[in-house]
Amino acid sequence: MTVAVLGFQTARDRAAADRLAELNRLLADRFCADEAPPGLLDYRVLRSLDEPQRFCAYWLWRDWSWREQLFADPTPPLRSFTDSAPELWAHPPDIGAYTWDGPPPSHACERGGTVVLSAGEGPGRLLTEQDGERRYRWAVTTGTDGPGGAADRWTAL
């Protein structure tokens, strides 16, 4: 069963955020090119438009075992990221496994696109945490305006 993994990262300060954006973008470039690890169906990195020190890494895996294999034996691009990123984080990433309501999209968003993530209700496709209670709505929008309330606006790096 496919699993969507959301990894929320927060940089310790603005300079660290810019470096973390660069590291995330490099990893995305490698994984979206010919170096995608086995079992990875989609990978996108989002940066919060409202709080630029916040990031969300979106991974779509064929199933959880493929993710476990990659992190047990990281490829050079992932090892480079995991060697450099921890010193930039304010705290370890918040990682959760989610299930899409219905078939997952083949591409969650395009580079430069805007995604609105909202907790619970709202527009967009629902992602439900597999072993928890968190729920997010994922809506790809045009422009940078999203709904108010508890929604966060993100841009794909």
Side-chain angles (χ1 to χ4, degrees):
M1 175 171 88
T2 60
V3 59
V5 177
L6 298 180
F8 292 96
Q9 308 167 36
T10 303
R12 56 181 163 72
D13 57 34
R14 183 59 191 238
D18 290 341
R19 177 70 179 126
L20 194 55
E22 181 182 332
L23 289 173
N24 273 297
R25 194 175 313 116
L26 288 171
L27 186 61
D29 287 347
R30 301 283 293 275
F31 280 179
C32 292
D34 296 332
E35 299 178 49
L40 183 63
L41 303 174
D42 193 14
Y43 179 71
R44 298 288 183 254
V45 178
L46 309 175
R47 187 173 191 176
S48 173
L49 291 168
D50 302 314
E51 298 178 58
Q53 76 278 12
R54 293 179 55 221
F55 298 86
C56 176
Y58 166 82
W59 309 69
L60 182 63
W61 292 98
R62 219 175 284 292
D63 64 53
W64 186 257
S65 68
W66 290 104
R67 181 195 182 276
E68 293 299 295
Q69 287 177 30
L70 175 64
F71 281 83
D73 185 19
T75 61
L78 181 59
R79 183 173 310 283
S80 176
F81 179 84
T82 58
D83 287 348
S84 302
E87 68 186 31
L88 303 172
W89 291 326
H91 49 77
D94 175 12
I95 300 169
Y98 295 81
T99 302
W100 283 99
D101 65 336
S106 60
H107 295 291
C109 60
E110 296 300 323
R111 175 176 267 169
T114 301
V115 173
V116 176
L117 279 178
S118 56
E121 301 305 319
R125 299 272 311 275
L126 183 64
L127 284 161
T128 303
E129 191 172 29
Q130 290 182 354
D131 294 323
E133 298 181 11
R134 293 185 290 185
R135 296 161 43 107
Y136 290 99
R137 291 280 177 176
W138 179 289
V140 177
T141 66
T142 56
T144 57
D145 292 329
D152 286 328
R153 299 170 310 137
W154 306 77
T155 188
L157 300 179

